[in-house]
Amino acid sequence: MEEESGSLPSKSDFSAWYNDVLWRAEIMDVRYPVKGLYVWYPFGFGLRRQTYAILRDLLDNSDHEETLFPLLIPKTEFMKEAEHIKGFEDEVYWVTHGGLSELDIPLALRPTSETSIYPMFALWVRSHADLPLKVYQIVNTFRYETKHTRPLIRLREITSFKEAHTAHATWDDAAAQVEIALSLYTRFYDDLCIPITISRRPDWDKFPGADYTMAVDALMPDGRTLQVGTVHHLGDHFSKTFEITYEDAEGQQQYVHQTCYGISERCIAATIGVHGDDKGLVLPPKVAPVQVVVIPIIMKKRADEVLAAAEVLKAELQDSGLRVKIDTRDMRPGAKYYHWEMHGVPLRVEVGPRDLDAGTVVAVTRDGEKTTVQRDEVVTAVPEILGAYAARLRTNAEEFLTSHITEAGSVEEAAEAVKTGIAVVHWCGDEACAEELEKATNGSVLGTEVRSEHITISEGPCAVCGRQGTSTVIARTY
Amino acid sequence: MEEESGSLPSKSDFSAWYNDVLWRAEIMDVRYPVKGLYVWYPFGFGLRRQTYAILRDLLDNSDHEETLFPLLIPKTEFMKEAEHIKGFEDEVYWVTHGGLSELDIPLALRPTSETSIYPMFALWVRSHADLPLKVYQIVNTFRYETKHTRPLIRLREITSFKEAHTAHATWDDAAAQVEIALSLYTRFYDDLCIPITISRRPDWDKFPGADYTMAVDALMPDGRTLQVGTVHHLGDHFSKTFEITYEDAEGQQQYVHQTCYGISERCIAATIGVHGDDKGLVLPPKVAPVQVVVIPIIMKKRADEVLAAAEVLKAELQDSGLRVKIDTRDMRPGAKYYHWEMHGVPLRVEVGPRDLDAGTVVAVTRDGEKTTVQRDEVVTAVPEILGAYAARLRTNAEEFLTSHITEAGSVEEAAEAVKTGIAVVHWCGDEACAEELEKATNGSVLGTEVRSEHITISEGPCAVCGRQGTSTVIARTY
């Protein structure tokens, strides 16, 4: 639907590259006439479908059940949990009118669904036999963002919020579920070939109404981190507010302990940001809406023969379970390559007259690895090529991450490191010292209890006050 | 999550039966604290998933592309098309506040998405090469219903609106697309084993802003029809309002001609209503979240052996592509049968000690057909049994429909027929005569150009005025 004119900015100018690649690769159209609301192009929606199918499978296969709760939350319910309101009151959209009349009770557009779901949990949970209860939904949620909005990253309508909500008999059971959620998210981002850093957010940065918040961060090309998932231990804050109790084995009423965890379309922003290059998107095979494009190389002679062979090849690859397109448009091959590279298609398979004679095809991955494959081995060779390609994406992303992590021994070193990436620094845990660190680095203290294959955690003197501390990570954030 | 206490009302008291079966079969929870908003239970959501997967496949395989447009529509865009506003002004929810401040421009929650999508179509369509454009989305839409609300049927949040929008070069191309859409919907309802009646709605009942509206109706057990799909030819009303033009082959700018067509979760209400019985849901195999339940018949002796055999059977059926559960709960078999019958599971397969000896299993369909199947033929026999079962559902539904259609020669006969079903009557096309018919029958004139395998269309004198007319259908509607 878009004409491809001009050229993509270099990825080194990440902000310009990102904005441009979104329309050139037909992910999002930003021209919708309300700030912070965007339109998914069909190709972008295809990427969303594949990405969320992985998330659904992970949840379905770990005893979560998909449900759907209403978008509109009556003000009376929304206002019940004090910390929660405080966290959201500046950013909730309110419906005040139905037709031409004013509503008796204003309705909030869910910014997140605790206050929509938990009144029902109070009805659903009766006895310990009902626990654990694990549900999820994939929904649109809303935030009245006053900051600069950005497609897939900072939105007024988060179109694709996957939120899971669980209830357990004990605090420890809920804590164990936090670990399960983190391991699911780790597997999810591994499928996206994105290395992540997990940490426990400082108390002042936890979810409003949580005991603690674990967060998942990805490193974007400009050295800023993007929070791409959160897992909250809610303790019994909400169960006390919404009276979610169960009868234990001794016949006593007990409050449940809860968790919730979410991932939004930021996971797609991370996929785009982490892997893309100066030619456009670079998509991991598991989420690419088109995994293989077959390009017939049409010369004057033998055009029909080549075209027929390309169609057979396409059908064979498709039957093997791959998502395949054939590009038979009347264009130069170079223009086709450009188009499919922009869209991040992992593998291009070319078939020309010479290939017919040789009984081969030429396979070129999005990162430029060229292989001549025997025609009768294509169906087994392609998945291997795609697997090796995915491994390279993962390695490249890990190399980028490790080369942008700096162990900083002082506030000054941390400030220098945060200019281009993540600083690892010792911190005593004190809020005043964190403020000092944040001011000096222009970054945020992401948290403690850091889990990353690429970061070694240690004890040492706080970079600010010198008292004993442990490693924390600091970065500029989205 | 629900205790199964008391018993389901007879389906002859349809309204009571419907309300009851929704929670007993865990489809919807109606206890959400806002009128007209309901919660999907996991089992109900499973039914939604299978149902909408069929719809998605039909659209994906007929050149439609899935997209996603914003929920919020600025008042300025919403108010552009005069007829359209008039049709919706009484039922639109308005967002007026973001956080603590009032918005400059109120935002409508989409009641339908023409005014959200068409400003973008104006940007997307440039030349005849961009046409036809066919997109769809599955979204939540909102109506401030002041009438009596009912789960899946009359809602304030329609959670599952599949709406397709197309743009074409000519009026005739758009008319052809209307026919394509009707054929897709016919296939869809055939998969649900629901016979439908298609008709062209009278002009006063067409979609606000349409040239004409074709509607799809199903007959519910109480003799009322449920509109379960609509297809609108929009002509160039919206393209003129939103300036959606293309350059034709001669270089002239032309307005596109458009269609839109939608199906909501009413399709699930129809599935429940048309097929259910006094024991609960009766689900067509294609949409049943659980297609087969395996019940080990555990006696004191050989319990382990039976259980192991049941697990193997379950795995085999699952590997063959079916959605299968095994019920190993410590309960009487009768209680299990009751549970799975309530949930409409098409086939129960029982394995007991005697079956092990005989090398057989007992298969019982939801409508009570019992077959003894050779154990080593189960995987081929089950799809056949399910196919025959689906055919019976279809036949039963058709018989119910045909036995509730009456050719009426007079207003009085029509009034009598409409008490229990559909009256077919000659009508001159005049609005005054339709009003007369509606008043006398307490029904609605559904429309003309009726398409149904079960209704013969003819010409004849209008039942009201005696002038020449053609067959129309009248029924009480939801």
Side-chain angles (χ1 to χ4, degrees):
Chain A
M1 288 177 249
E2 295 300 331
E3 294 154 41
E4 287 163 2
S5 59
S7 64
L8 186 64
S10 159
K11 202 183 168 197
S12 59
D13 180 2
F14 178 63
S15 189
W17 178 90
Y18 182 77
N19 288 338
D20 228 53
V21 85
L22 287 183
W23 68 263
R24 285 180 190 272
E26 296 171 296
I27 302 293
M28 304 294 294
D29 193 325
V30 301
R31 295 171 293 176
Y32 190 76
V34 181
K35 170 186 152 82
L37 304 182
Y38 308 102
V39 175
W40 288 90
Y41 280 118
F43 187 81
F45 199 84
L47 176 58
R48 178 196 189 266
R49 254 201 206 182
Q50 301 305 332
T51 305
Y52 281 74
I54 295 177
L55 213 40
R56 265 200 175 96
D57 276 350
L58 281 171
L59 292 163
D60 290 346
N61 295 325
S62 57
D63 296 324
H64 296 74
E65 295 189 292
E66 191 170 0
T67 53
L68 191 54
F69 288 78
L71 167 70
L72 301 173
I73 304 170
K75 191 169 183 177
T76 41
E77 295 295 329
F78 191 75
M79 290 305 194
K80 275 185 179 163
E81 216 287 329
E83 279 183 54
H84 193 67
I85 309 157
K86 228 178 116 194
F88 287 106
E89 68 180 353
D90 288 340
E91 39 184 56
V92 170
Y93 278 109
W94 292 103
V95 178
T96 58
H97 287 73
L100 303 170
S101 46
E102 190 167 349
L103 301 177
D104 293 337
I105 299 171
L107 301 167
L109 302 192
R110 61 182 162 223
T112 169
S113 301
E114 287 70 21
T115 56
S116 150
I117 294 178
Y118 300 164
M120 305 310 295
F121 271 21
L123 300 168
W124 290 3
V125 176
R126 294 296 166 84
S127 88
H128 57 95
D130 296 323
L131 300 175
L133 175 62
K134 303 183 193 181
V135 302
Y136 75 97
Q137 60 179 4
I138 299 173
V139 294
N140 49 353
T141 65
F142 293 81
R143 305 273 167 104
Y144 179 64
E145 286 288 352
T146 48
K147 293 187 207 165
H148 182 66
T149 55
R150 197 188 293 267
L152 304 173
I153 292 180
R154 190 172 293 280
L155 307 154
R156 288 187 162 179
E157 178 177 8
I158 297 155
T159 66
S160 315
F161 190 47
K162 187 289 297 164
E163 50 177 335
H165 296 266
T166 71
H168 307 266
T170 68
W171 195 96
D172 286 347
D173 287 352
Q177 186 64 31
V178 166
E179 296 307 312
I180 290 170
L182 288 172
S183 77
L184 293 174
Y185 285 2
T186 302
R187 283 164 58 195
F188 174 64
Y189 283 107
D190 189 58
D191 277 350
L192 303 184
C193 306
I194 296 175
I196 52 171
T197 303
I198 295 171
S199 62
R200 179 171 167 149
R201 286 282 182 265
D203 271 355
W204 58 86
D205 206 18
K206 69 185 185 188
F207 182 73
D211 272 3
Y212 65 91
T213 289
M214 303 297 296
V216 177
D217 294 294
L219 184 64
M220 296 292 265
D222 59 357
R224 292 159 74 183
T225 56
L226 183 67
Q227 177 178 298
V228 290
T230 47
V231 182
H232 313 293
H233 192 308
L234 302 177
D236 55 10
H237 295 228
F238 286 93
S239 64
K240 283 182 171 162
T241 304
F242 290 98
E243 283 292 324
I244 312 173
T245 61
Y246 68 98
E247 191 177 283
D248 68 15
E250 283 74 46
Q252 299 296 309
Q253 290 296 317
Q254 305 284 355
Y255 288 111
V256 301
H257 290 79
Q258 294 179 264
T259 79
C260 64
Y261 32 102
I263 283 181
S264 75
E265 57 252 60
R266 280 189 166 194
C267 61
I268 293 172
T271 302
I272 294 170
V274 167
H275 301 301
D277 67 14
D278 287 354
K279 291 179 180 173
L281 295 186
V282 175
L283 295 178
K286 288 207 177 161
V287 294
V290 181
Q291 295 172 309
V292 182
V293 59
V294 175
I295 312 238
I297 309 294
I298 309 275
M299 312 294 192
K300 278 175 198 154
K301 283 183 189 167
R302 302 173 70 188
D304 292 349
E305 197 187 340
V306 168
L307 208 57
E311 290 283 4
V312 170
L313 178 63
K314 183 226 169 191
E316 241 174 72
L317 288 167
Q318 208 155 33
D319 290 347
S320 79
L322 292 162
R323 296 184 289 275
V324 189
K325 287 249 185 202
I326 182 167
D327 189 345
T328 58
R329 290 177 295 175
D330 185 18
M331 288 164 63
R332 291 179 299 108
K336 293 183 185 181
Y337 300 169
Y338 175 89
H339 176 84
W340 296 108
E341 283 169 356
M342 182 65 77
H343 288 74
V345 175
L347 189 67
R348 176 175 88 223
V349 180
E350 305 165 8
V351 192
R354 254 179 300 175
D355 299 303
L356 294 188
D357 294 337
T360 57
V361 299
V362 176
V364 186
T365 56
R366 177 61 181 79
D367 61 345
E369 295 250 326
K370 196 168 182 165
T371 322
T372 300
V373 179
Q374 293 301 311
R375 176 62 187 82
D376 54 7
E377 290 168 6
V378 166
V379 167
T380 50
V382 163
E384 285 166 23
I385 293 172
L386 289 175
Y389 161 79
R392 288 196 301 277
L393 295 194
R394 208 174 275 121
T395 305
N396 292 344
E398 282 172 357
E399 279 173 8
F400 180 83
L401 175 61
T402 51
S403 68
H404 287 78
I405 293 174
T406 309
E407 297 224 19
S410 66
V411 174
E412 293 68 31
E413 280 178 34
E416 191 56 33
V418 166
K419 283 181 188 162
T420 56
I422 296 172
V424 183
V425 67
H426 291 123
W427 168 54
C428 63
D430 205 74
E431 189 165 356
C433 290
E435 273 176 28
E436 189 70 29
L437 277 166
E438 294 191 342
K439 217 169 67 184
T441 60
N442 203 19
S444 299
V445 171
L446 294 182
T448 51
E449 301 178 24
V450 180
R451 302 175 197 179
S452 162
E453 284 173 35
H454 311 291
I455 296 174
T456 313
I457 299 303
S458 62
E459 310 245 312
C462 174
V464 179
C465 69
R467 283 178 294 179
Q468 184 72 344
T470 53
S471 302
T472 185
V473 278
I474 307 178
R476 290 170 302 131
T477 61
Y478 270 90
Chain B
M1 288 175 248
E2 295 299 331
E3 293 154 43
E4 287 162 3
S5 61
S7 64
L8 185 65
S10 159
K11 202 184 168 197
S12 59
D13 181 2
F14 179 64
S15 188
W17 178 91
Y18 182 76
N19 288 337
D20 229 52
V21 85
L22 287 184
W23 68 264
R24 286 180 189 274
E26 298 171 295
I27 302 293
M28 305 293 295
D29 194 326
V30 302
R31 295 171 292 176
Y32 189 76
V34 181
K35 171 187 152 82
L37 303 183
Y38 308 102
V39 175
W40 288 89
Y41 280 118
F43 187 81
F45 200 84
L47 176 57
R48 178 194 189 267
R49 252 200 208 184
Q50 301 306 331
T51 305
Y52 281 75
I54 295 177
L55 214 39
R56 265 202 175 96
D57 276 351
L58 280 171
L59 292 163
D60 290 346
N61 295 325
S62 56
D63 297 323
H64 296 74
E65 295 189 293
E66 191 171 0
T67 54
L68 191 54
F69 288 77
L71 167 70
L72 302 172
I73 305 170
K75 192 169 183 178
T76 40
E77 295 294 329
F78 191 75
M79 290 304 194
K80 275 186 180 165
E81 215 288 327
E83 278 183 55
H84 193 67
I85 310 158
K86 226 178 118 193
F88 287 106
E89 69 179 352
D90 288 340
E91 37 183 57
V92 171
Y93 279 110
W94 291 103
V95 177
T96 58
H97 287 73
L100 304 170
S101 45
E102 190 167 351
L103 301 177
D104 293 336
I105 299 171
L107 301 167
L109 303 192
R110 62 182 160 222
T112 170
S113 301
E114 287 70 21
T115 56
S116 150
I117 294 178
Y118 300 163
M120 305 310 294
F121 271 22
L123 300 168
W124 290 3
V125 176
R126 295 295 167 85
S127 88
H128 57 94
D130 296 323
L131 300 175
L133 175 63
K134 304 185 193 180
V135 302
Y136 75 97
Q137 59 179 5
I138 298 173
V139 295
N140 50 352
T141 64
F142 294 81
R143 306 272 167 104
Y144 180 64
E145 285 289 351
T146 48
K147 292 189 207 164
H148 182 65
T149 55
R150 196 188 293 268
L152 303 174
I153 292 179
R154 189 171 294 280
L155 307 155
R156 287 187 164 180
E157 179 177 7
I158 297 156
T159 66
S160 315
F161 191 48
K162 187 290 298 164
E163 50 177 333
H165 296 266
T166 71
H168 306 266
T170 67
W171 195 96
D172 286 347
D173 287 352
Q177 186 64 31
V178 166
E179 296 307 311
I180 290 171
L182 288 171
S183 78
L184 293 173
Y185 285 2
T186 301
R187 282 164 59 193
F188 174 64
Y189 282 106
D190 189 58
D191 277 350
L192 303 183
C193 306
I194 297 174
I196 53 171
T197 303
I198 295 171
S199 62
R200 179 171 167 149
R201 286 282 184 263
D203 272 356
W204 57 86
D205 206 17
K206 68 185 185 187
F207 181 74
D211 271 4
Y212 65 91
T213 288
M214 303 298 296
V216 177
D217 294 293
L219 184 64
M220 296 293 266
D222 59 356
R224 292 160 73 185
T225 57
L226 183 67
Q227 177 178 298
V228 290
T230 47
V231 182
H232 313 292
H233 191 308
L234 302 177
D236 55 10
H237 297 226
F238 286 93
S239 64
K240 283 182 171 162
T241 303
F242 290 98
E243 282 294 322
I244 313 172
T245 60
Y246 69 96
E247 190 177 284
D248 67 16
E250 283 74 44
Q252 299 296 311
Q253 290 296 317
Q254 303 285 356
Y255 288 111
V256 300
H257 290 79
Q258 293 178 266
T259 79
C260 65
Y261 32 102
I263 284 181
S264 76
E265 56 253 60
R266 281 190 165 193
C267 62
I268 293 172
T271 301
I272 294 170
V274 166
H275 301 301
D277 67 15
D278 287 355
K279 292 180 180 174
L281 294 186
V282 175
L283 295 179
K286 289 208 177 162
V287 294
V290 180
Q291 294 172 309
V292 182
V293 61
V294 176
I295 311 238
I297 308 295
I298 309 276
M299 312 295 192
K300 278 174 198 154
K301 285 183 188 167
R302 303 173 70 188
D304 290 349
E305 197 187 341
V306 167
L307 209 57
E311 290 284 4
V312 170
L313 179 62
K314 183 225 167 191
E316 241 174 71
L317 287 167
Q318 209 154 34
D319 289 346
S320 79
L322 292 162
R323 296 184 290 274
V324 190
K325 288 249 185 204
I326 182 166
D327 189 344
T328 58
R329 290 177 295 176
D330 185 17
M331 288 165 62
R332 294 180 297 107
K336 293 183 184 181
Y337 300 169
Y338 175 89
H339 176 85
W340 296 108
E341 283 169 354
M342 183 65 77
H343 288 76
V345 174
L347 189 69
R348 175 175 89 222
V349 180
E350 305 166 7
V351 192
R354 254 179 300 175
D355 299 303
L356 294 188
D357 295 338
T360 57
V361 299
V362 176
V364 186
T365 56
R366 177 61 181 78
D367 60 346
E369 295 250 326
K370 198 168 182 165
T371 324
T372 300
V373 179
Q374 293 300 311
R375 176 63 186 82
D376 54 6
E377 290 168 7
V378 166
V379 168
T380 49
V382 164
E384 285 167 23
I385 293 171
L386 289 175
Y389 160 80
R392 288 196 300 278
L393 295 193
R394 208 173 275 121
T395 305
N396 292 344
E398 282 172 357
E399 279 173 7
F400 180 82
L401 175 61
T402 51
S403 68
H404 286 77
I405 293 174
T406 309
E407 298 223 19
S410 66
V411 174
E412 294 69 32
E413 281 178 33
E416 191 56 32
V418 166
K419 284 181 186 162
T420 57
I422 295 172
V424 182
V425 66
H426 291 123
W427 169 53
C428 64
D430 205 72
E431 187 164 359
C433 290
E435 274 176 27
E436 189 70 29
L437 277 166
E438 295 191 342
K439 216 169 69 185
T441 60
N442 203 19
S444 299
V445 171
L446 295 181
T448 51
E449 300 179 21
V450 180
R451 303 176 197 180
S452 161
E453 285 174 34
H454 311 291
I455 297 174
T456 313
I457 299 305
S458 62
E459 310 246 310
C462 173
V464 178
C465 71
R467 281 178 296 179
Q468 183 73 343
T470 54
S471 303
T472 184
V473 279
I474 307 180
R476 289 171 303 131
T477 61
Y478 271 89

